[in-house]
Amino acid sequence: MAGLHDVNIYTNSFFSDARLKIPPLKKEITNKDDDNDPSQLFAIPDFWQPSNWLGKSIEEINKQNPLFTWGAEGAKDGLVSSQLQQYLTAKLNQDNDDAFFKLPPILRDLVVQHAKTPDREIVQEDDQLELDDALSSSSEEEDFWLLPDDVVSTKPQYKTWEGFEDAQEAPNSPGFITEAGPAAFDSVIAASNKDTEDAPPDILDNSIYSACLLTLALGRSSLLFSWDSAQNSFIKTAPQLRTSGITLDLVKAIDRLCLDCGNCMRHLQYYSETAYASSSSSPTRIAFAGVIARLITTVGSELSTRSRNVKSILQLQSLVQPVHAVLSYFKDMVKKVATAATDEVMLSALFRAVQAAEYKDDLLRAATNEVLRIVSRPWTDFVEEWIGTRVEEGIPISKTGPGKGFVRVADKMWIDDQGFELDEPEYFLDEAKMPGFVPGDMAESIFETGRNLRFLREHHPDHPLSRPDAVTLTRPPKLEWEFEWEAISQLEGRVNGYRDAVSRVLAGGLEEGAHSKSTPNDTPEFTVFGKSEAEVATSILVSIRQLDQPLHEPAPSDGLTALIKSHLYSRMDHKTTLSPHTSLLSLLSFSPLLTYQSSLLSHLTTTLLFTSHSLRQHLSLLHQSFLLSNGLLVARLTSALFDPESSTTERHKGIALGGSSSMGLRLGSTRRTWPPASSELRLALMGVLTDSLGESKGEGGQRTAGQLPGDLSFSIRHDLTPEEIDKCMNVDGLEALDFLRLSYTTPAPLRSVMTPQILSKFDKISRLLIRILRMLHIANTLFQSLVAPGSSDSSNVTLRFATEARHLIFSISNHFFDVGITKTWRGFESWLDTVEHDITKDGTEGTISPEMLRRKHEQTLDNIMFCLFLRRRQVPVMGLLEEILGLILRFARIVRVREMEAHLGVMEQQEDEECELYKKFHRKVDVFVTVLRGLSEKTPTAEGRRGKEQENTVEMLLAKLDLEGWYGKKR
């Protein structure tokens, strides 16, 4: 800066004296008189006038800067000031030939001349003009811009790079205070703090202060910074402390950065340590704590390594800033994730953090993705064990265990054939234990896949996929998060390879698939025996050379460590391809493997249900027995329960049983006691089921005689309430046979399709159909006794009542059997035919699972119950129908009593009671038809929206009951 200052002085002095030698042309141009002449193109008006923006007069400006002034005090002709003259004289005395910035000869002569005559008078204007003419004439011969001829050229020097590097240059005086060194900067700061009352801050060595800041950033205490447990933060022991060359404000800013970084480091370290020590730690929490611990170690290692060559705290600040950004972000993440009560809530919160980081810095986005991958590994490992793509570690999941994760093992309540409640352990899906990023349909698919696998292991332990070594043979891909389209495409390729391996294993068994095992390591073991001394020595020398080599830094054990090491202080490469949206990551990462594994096990399980466990035979048996679709069974059962011609099973004193070939309960005839004893039921119903349904194939495909599948038989209902028992005691009541039921025990392999809830629906339908059988028998009996030719004379009311009752019962029974049961079940069997045809095709994938079979089966029964008015919302309709049937039973009893009295010769008039019953019957039927008409016109609800056939069935029943609106007319 000293040289630059010299240049400024030289320039000013040159222009001050050079005006004396201005050529005539230039003089004319710069003449004051010619400044206003518009013809002068090169005239510069008011060249020496100060700017109006200064807002000061020339005198004020000259007082502030007397060196560079125009017309200053003591100047020669208003050009050369006394201060400039003094400076040039001093410069001349110390000038030498080697100086780069030196005075030209003309200025040197001018200085000498002024030094000889310091007290010259001011030249008048006329003399000045003459002197200008003389100078202008001399300037034609001498150009003072050129160097003089007598300048001696310097001797050329030999320049080398070594000499350039080792050259000792004389220090130049700095031009700015920041270039003068820390001492000058400290002096300025000390001078500026003299007027303040605060004591000046102490100055500490830069290396010591940087070491303390580095220790602070790493979360450790030092001489200058200590940990305060009460404030839960680091504090500075000497607040008024700084380093040389840096202001206190900047030091405080760097202190805050390192202090915040150290606090984040300390808090994260505390969380990781307490997570390991907590008694309620879970695999997911341990995984998250391990990620935080590795993050702290990696970041601290990178900061320590790069801070070895730090020479100032400003360099340290640039190193701490990326570390602080990473640690502060993960500190906020820990606050959100650590408060989760369960592992599933923690994973959901972590997934939301990944979504929030989608549009943040590239490093933070990649780091949070990797954290999600690592922390989710315990959950994905359990899913792999559950669906069969990973060998189970520890105690396998079973129905005798406590359950694990989202699989809950609990007792399932069901009623056996005796009406007693029994408990049976079963797997249940705990949806609350599923993370938030798993959709509902995916959660059900995962659960059903694992349950199908347990079905194979329980009932088919010899199946290739039931054995644990099948996982090793097929080598299924891992279930983990994928965040890029390229990785997702590679995952689909691995799933296709797994599909081919499973096909080979299923085709050839485990023996053929054993060839796909990995070959053992061919590296020979190090042995001494059998080798010569020279070979042993050579091996030892090789080992010594390997041991002499320096230790290599181990490769990062996980993706997060590698990511931090490579990109903490370098920008990540921007990829041109777009990544999938975070909301789609779970579907794209898990669906390929889960979809194939679910279809594979569903196909195998469904195939075994149809082939090995005779599902169609059991469904057909339930259809024939509970739904009374077997005509022979209906005939035999009607005869055993209601036929008055059969031998009675009721015991009479002195009369032996078995007077005829068939025996029955003779309900509705001359029976005196009710309900029948258990021995009577055995006699009446003996052989009804076996003779009607015939011999059938057992569970293993063998034919069994005398025993039906599922031990189908008649039994007594034991779950009746006291009110229901009282109703059963009335022989003329509609509930007289409600104590009788069909008993069926579902085989263990078929319980996934025939659940206790389904059997309960079969039982409800069966109880109603037995009532309908009784009403059909009564309607036929009344018609034969009153309306048929040859019957006794009856009143018009009796005939009309019998005719309308028979029409009502036949219409309802026809609707129940033909429309409600036969038509609906026929559609279900058609669907089963399609399923059975699909599973016989080649391939190992299928879309039908046992759960879908169960749902279709239950939906079919719901449709049947809807047509039979047995749904919960149809209770009032069924109650009205039961009242109508009860009136018909009362009418039948009156007719039966009248016939008995006529047979005995005792006649009593009962027409008034019959008329009253007929009026009630007609009124009830009218209300029933009105209700049905309202149901047919009603908009389908959510329950009846599965098909319009449910509404059309009501219209069909209306057409049968009241085609021309008979019951709506007033009579």
Side-chain angles (χ1 to χ4, degrees):
M1 290 302 294
L4 182 60
H5 191 62
D6 295 342
V7 172
N8 294 332
I9 296 174
Y10 165 77
T11 305
N12 188 54
S13 63
F14 174 77
F15 278 105
S16 300
D17 295 339
R19 183 165 182 166
L20 300 175
K21 297 183 179 182
I22 296 177
L25 180 60
K26 295 183 179 180
K27 178 182 178 183
E28 294 176 1
I29 295 176
T30 58
N31 192 1
K32 183 68 177 176
D33 298 334
D34 297 334
D35 287 344
N36 298 325
D37 188 0
S39 63
Q40 299 297 329
L41 300 177
F42 299 98
I44 303 175
D46 300 332
F47 181 77
W48 301 104
Q49 294 296 326
S51 174
N52 295 329
W53 293 98
L54 294 177
K56 298 178 181 180
S57 63
I58 297 178
E59 290 75 10
E60 294 177 354
I61 296 174
N62 294 337
K63 290 180 181 180
Q64 293 180 0
N65 192 2
L67 184 61
F68 300 101
T69 58
W70 172 257
E73 181 180 358
K76 176 68 175 69
D77 297 335
L79 296 176
V80 182
S81 63
S82 59
Q83 292 87 346
L84 178 59
Q85 179 64 36
Q86 294 175 3
Y87 177 82
L88 293 176
T89 303
K91 190 66 178 178
L92 180 64
N93 295 332
Q94 64 180 2
D95 198 5
N96 52 40
D97 295 337
D98 296 332
F100 183 79
F101 294 102
K102 61 184 179 179
L103 296 176
I106 187 173
L107 292 182
R108 189 182 298 111
D109 298 339
L110 183 62
V111 172
V112 173
Q113 181 180 359
H114 280 274
K116 292 180 180 180
T117 57
D119 299 330
R120 289 184 309 168
E121 297 180 357
I122 301 175
V123 182
Q124 298 298 328
E125 184 177 357
D126 298 336
D127 298 336
Q128 181 67 29
L129 294 175
E130 296 177 359
L131 179 60
D132 292 341
D133 296 336
L135 291 175
S136 60
S137 61
S138 63
S139 62
E140 297 177 357
E141 300 177 357
E142 181 183 0
D143 191 354
F144 60 86
W145 293 103
L146 299 177
L147 293 175
D149 297 335
D150 56 350
V151 177
V152 181
S153 61
T154 60
K155 183 179 180 179
Q157 299 179 359
Y158 179 69
K159 304 293 185 179
T160 61
W161 285 110
E162 291 78 4
F164 175 76
E165 294 178 355
D166 299 336
Q168 299 294 332
E169 296 182 357
N172 297 325
S173 58
F176 298 95
I177 193 170
T178 55
E179 298 177 355
F185 189 78
D186 295 338
S187 301
V188 173
I189 294 178
S192 62
N193 293 335
K194 287 182 179 179
D195 299 335
T196 60
E197 298 179 357
D198 298 336
D202 298 330
I203 299 177
L204 188 64
D205 184 69
N206 186 32
S207 60
I208 298 176
Y209 201 84
S210 299
C212 293
L213 286 178
L214 176 61
T215 306
L216 173 64
L218 294 175
R220 306 166 191 166
S221 299
S222 62
L223 294 176
L224 300 181
F225 302 93
S226 62
W227 177 259
D228 190 353
S229 302
Q231 299 181 9
N232 197 22
S233 174
F234 283 98
I235 59 174
K236 190 175 182 180
T237 57
Q240 297 296 326
L241 192 67
R242 66 177 182 86
T243 61
S244 179
I246 300 178
T247 61
L248 185 60
D249 295 336
L250 181 57
V251 170
K252 290 182 180 180
I254 300 176
D255 289 347
R256 287 193 297 270
L257 175 65
C258 296
L259 190 141
D260 194 11
C261 182
N263 289 337
C264 294
M265 184 81 73
R266 198 66 176 258
H267 292 159
L268 293 176
Q269 186 177 4
Y270 174 78
Y271 170 77
S272 63
E273 292 175 355
T274 54
Y276 282 103
S278 178
S279 58
S280 60
S281 297
S282 59
T284 304
R285 294 182 182 274
I286 295 299
F288 187 64
V291 168
I292 298 300
R294 290 196 295 273
L295 175 69
I296 296 172
T297 303
T298 306
V299 170
S301 176
E302 287 294 307
L303 180 59
S304 300
T305 303
R306 293 180 178 269
S307 61
R308 294 173 183 174
N309 300 325
V310 170
K311 297 181 180 179
S312 67
I313 62 175
L314 295 179
Q315 293 178 338
L316 182 62
Q317 180 188 20
S318 64
L319 294 178
V320 174
Q321 282 177 349
V323 174
H324 173 261
V326 174
L327 293 181
S328 60
Y329 181 80
F330 275 92
K331 179 185 176 182
D332 297 337
M333 179 188 295
V334 168
K335 288 182 180 179
K336 298 176 182 178
V337 175
T339 56
T342 61
D343 292 352
E344 294 73 25
V345 179
M346 176 180 289
L347 290 177
S348 302
L350 186 58
F351 182 73
R352 289 193 294 269
V354 171
Q355 288 181 317
E358 184 175 6
Y359 301 104
K360 288 186 176 294
D361 183 66
D362 294 341
L363 176 61
L364 293 178
R365 186 185 68 233
T368 51
N369 291 345
E370 196 63 31
V371 168
L372 179 62
R373 187 200 307 271
I374 297 174
V375 177
S376 301
R377 193 160 295 162
W379 181 81
T380 55
D381 289 347
F382 171 69
V383 174
E384 290 178 349
E385 294 177 359
W386 174 252
I387 65 177
T389 58
R390 180 185 177 94
V391 179
E392 293 189 54
E393 298 178 357
I395 302 176
I397 302 176
S398 62
K399 293 183 179 180
T400 58
K404 184 179 179 181
F406 54 83
V407 180
R408 179 170 53 90
V409 178
D411 292 336
K412 186 176 183 179
M413 303 293 297
W414 59 287
I415 301 174
D416 66 347
D417 55 348
Q418 300 297 325
F420 297 104
E421 292 184 355
L422 298 179
D423 298 337
E424 181 180 2
E426 186 58 68
Y427 298 114
F428 294 93
L429 173 61
D430 192 353
E431 296 181 356
K433 295 294 184 66
M434 275 289 184
F437 53 79
V438 181
D441 54 349
M442 181 182 291
E444 293 181 1
S445 176
I446 293 173
F447 177 72
E448 292 301 327
T449 303
R451 197 164 66 171
N452 293 336
L453 179 63
R454 269 69 191 171
F455 172 83
L456 285 179
R457 293 178 178 177
E458 182 180 358
H459 302 289
H460 299 275
D462 297 333
H463 195 275
L465 296 183
S466 299
R467 300 175 58 176
D469 51 355
V471 177
T472 306
L473 298 176
T474 56
R475 295 182 182 180
K478 290 186 65 64
L479 191 71
E480 59 182 2
W481 288 94
E482 302 293 348
F483 302 99
E484 302 295 337
W485 287 114
E486 182 179 358
I488 294 171
S489 301
Q490 295 176 358
L491 173 62
E492 294 178 355
R494 294 196 299 270
V495 172
N496 293 332
Y498 171 60
R499 179 187 290 107
D500 298 337
V502 170
S503 301
R504 290 193 299 268
V505 169
L506 294 178
L510 293 178
E511 291 76 16
E512 182 177 347
H515 296 289
S516 62
K517 290 185 178 181
S518 59
T519 58
N521 189 9
D522 297 332
T523 304
E525 297 181 359
F526 179 77
T527 57
V528 177
F529 297 101
K531 291 185 177 182
S532 63
E533 184 177 353
E535 293 176 347
V536 173
T538 303
S539 300
I540 292 175
L541 292 176
V542 172
S543 300
I544 291 175
R545 283 195 298 269
Q546 291 180 353
L547 294 175
D548 288 341
Q549 295 178 359
L551 295 177
H552 297 283
E553 184 179 0
S557 58
D558 58 307
L560 180 63
T561 304
L563 185 67
I564 296 297
K565 283 183 174 293
S566 58
H567 298 292
L568 181 60
Y569 291 102
S570 62
R571 298 181 63 86
M572 299 184 65
D573 297 334
H574 293 280
K575 297 183 178 180
T576 57
T577 58
L578 296 176
S579 301
H581 195 267
T582 310
S583 60
L584 302 175
L585 289 178
S586 59
L587 291 174
L588 297 175
S589 302
F590 304 145
S591 290
L593 180 59
L594 292 177
T595 302
Y596 171 71
Q597 191 73 4
S598 175
S599 61
L600 170 65
L601 293 176
S602 297
H603 174 79
L604 294 176
T605 307
T606 306
T607 303
L608 292 174
L609 288 177
F610 277 95
T611 56
S612 301
H613 303 291
S614 304
L615 175 63
R616 294 296 298 271
Q617 181 183 358
H618 284 265
L619 293 176
S620 177
L621 180 66
L622 295 178
H623 178 223
Q624 295 181 51
S625 58
F626 282 87
L627 304 184
L628 300 181
S629 62
N630 190 305
L632 182 58
L633 176 62
V634 172
R636 289 292 305 274
L637 185 61
T638 303
S639 176
L641 295 178
F642 315 114
D643 188 8
E645 303 297 333
S646 60
S647 301
T648 181
T649 58
E650 187 177 7
R651 293 182 178 273
H652 296 278
K653 190 174 182 179
I655 300 176
L657 298 177
S660 62
S661 59
S662 61
M663 302 181 66
L665 299 179
R666 302 178 64 179
L667 178 62
S669 59
T670 58
R671 186 177 180 88
R672 293 175 297 178
T673 59
W674 193 261
S678 59
S679 57
E680 295 184 54
L681 290 175
R682 295 192 189 95
L683 292 174
L685 302 176
M686 184 184 302
V688 172
L689 293 175
T690 55
D691 295 343
S692 303
L693 302 177
E695 295 181 352
S696 58
K697 293 183 180 181
E699 187 175 320
Q702 299 178 357
R703 300 181 66 85
T704 59
Q707 185 178 3
L708 297 174
D711 296 333
L712 182 64
S713 61
F714 285 103
S715 64
I716 298 176
R717 198 183 304 274
H718 295 277
D719 56 344
L720 296 175
T721 61
E723 293 79 7
E724 292 175 342
I725 293 176
D726 293 339
K727 292 180 180 179
C728 292
M729 300 293 290
N730 183 13
V731 67
D732 294 323
L734 184 62
E735 301 83 3
L737 289 173
D738 285 354
F739 64 89
L740 185 64
R741 60 168 295 181
L742 283 169
S743 175
Y744 174 82
T745 303
T746 307
L750 298 179
R751 288 177 183 172
S752 59
V753 180
M754 301 178 182
T755 61
Q757 290 80 6
I758 290 178
L759 294 181
S760 176
K761 294 180 180 181
F762 271 111
D763 182 67
K764 290 181 180 179
I765 296 173
S766 175
R767 181 167 59 179
L768 175 61
L769 295 182
I770 291 176
R771 292 180 179 180
I772 296 300
L773 287 182
R774 181 187 179 190
M775 299 306 301
L776 285 173
H777 174 74
I778 291 177
N780 287 328
T781 304
L782 286 176
F783 184 79
Q784 292 176 1
S785 61
L786 296 178
V787 182
S791 59
S792 58
D793 296 336
S794 301
S795 62
N796 293 332
V797 175
T798 304
L799 295 176
R800 182 177 295 174
F801 199 159
T803 303
E804 293 184 10
R806 182 175 181 271
H807 171 70
L808 174 69
I809 294 173
F810 271 68
S811 300
I812 292 177
S813 63
N814 179 267
H815 173 76
F816 285 176
F817 283 101
D818 294 345
V819 179
I821 297 176
T822 303
K823 184 179 180 180
T824 306
W825 192 266
R826 188 180 296 131
F828 177 56
E829 286 188 338
S830 177
W831 183 80
L832 289 176
D833 293 337
T834 304
V835 173
E836 195 169 7
H837 177 266
D838 292 340
I839 64 176
T840 57
K841 294 181 180 179
D842 296 335
T844 57
E845 298 183 31
T847 58
I848 303 301
S849 63
E851 178 64 17
M852 296 181 66
L853 287 174
R854 184 199 65 80
R855 292 179 181 177
K856 186 67 175 180
H857 190 193
E858 190 170 8
Q859 178 182 350
T860 302
L861 293 178
D862 290 340
N863 294 339
I864 292 175
M865 294 179 67
F866 182 85
C867 294
L868 272 59
F869 307 113
L870 291 177
R871 301 303 299 271
R872 181 175 300 178
R873 64 187 183 90
Q874 295 174 323
V875 171
V877 182
M878 178 53 64
L880 185 59
L881 180 60
E882 289 177 353
E883 292 181 5
I884 295 173
L885 298 180
L887 293 176
I888 296 175
L889 289 176
R890 289 176 58 186
F891 172 71
R893 179 178 177 277
I894 293 174
V895 173
R896 184 173 65 253
V897 171
R898 188 178 61 186
E899 289 180 351
M900 293 177 60
E901 291 176 352
H903 181 71
L904 296 175
V906 180
M907 296 294 296
E908 293 184 3
Q909 289 296 110
Q910 297 180 352
E911 291 185 1
D912 295 339
E913 185 176 1
E914 292 180 3
C915 291
E916 188 66 25
L917 283 176
Y918 178 71
K919 291 180 181 180
K920 291 183 179 180
F921 171 79
H922 196 279
R923 187 164 54 251
K924 293 292 183 181
V925 174
D926 189 8
V927 174
F928 181 69
V929 170
T930 304
V931 171
L932 293 181
R933 187 173 290 109
L935 290 177
S936 65
E937 297 175 355
K938 187 177 180 181
T939 304
T941 59
E943 185 179 4
R945 208 172 279 175
R946 288 187 293 267
K948 199 176 179 179
E949 294 180 357
Q950 297 177 348
E951 300 297 332
N952 292 335
T953 56
V954 178
E955 295 178 0
M956 296 171 63
L957 180 58
L958 276 174
K960 294 177 181 178
L961 287 178
D962 191 19
L963 182 62
E964 298 181 357
W966 164 259
Y967 290 100
K969 297 178 180 179
K970 295 183 179 180
R971 292 175 296 277

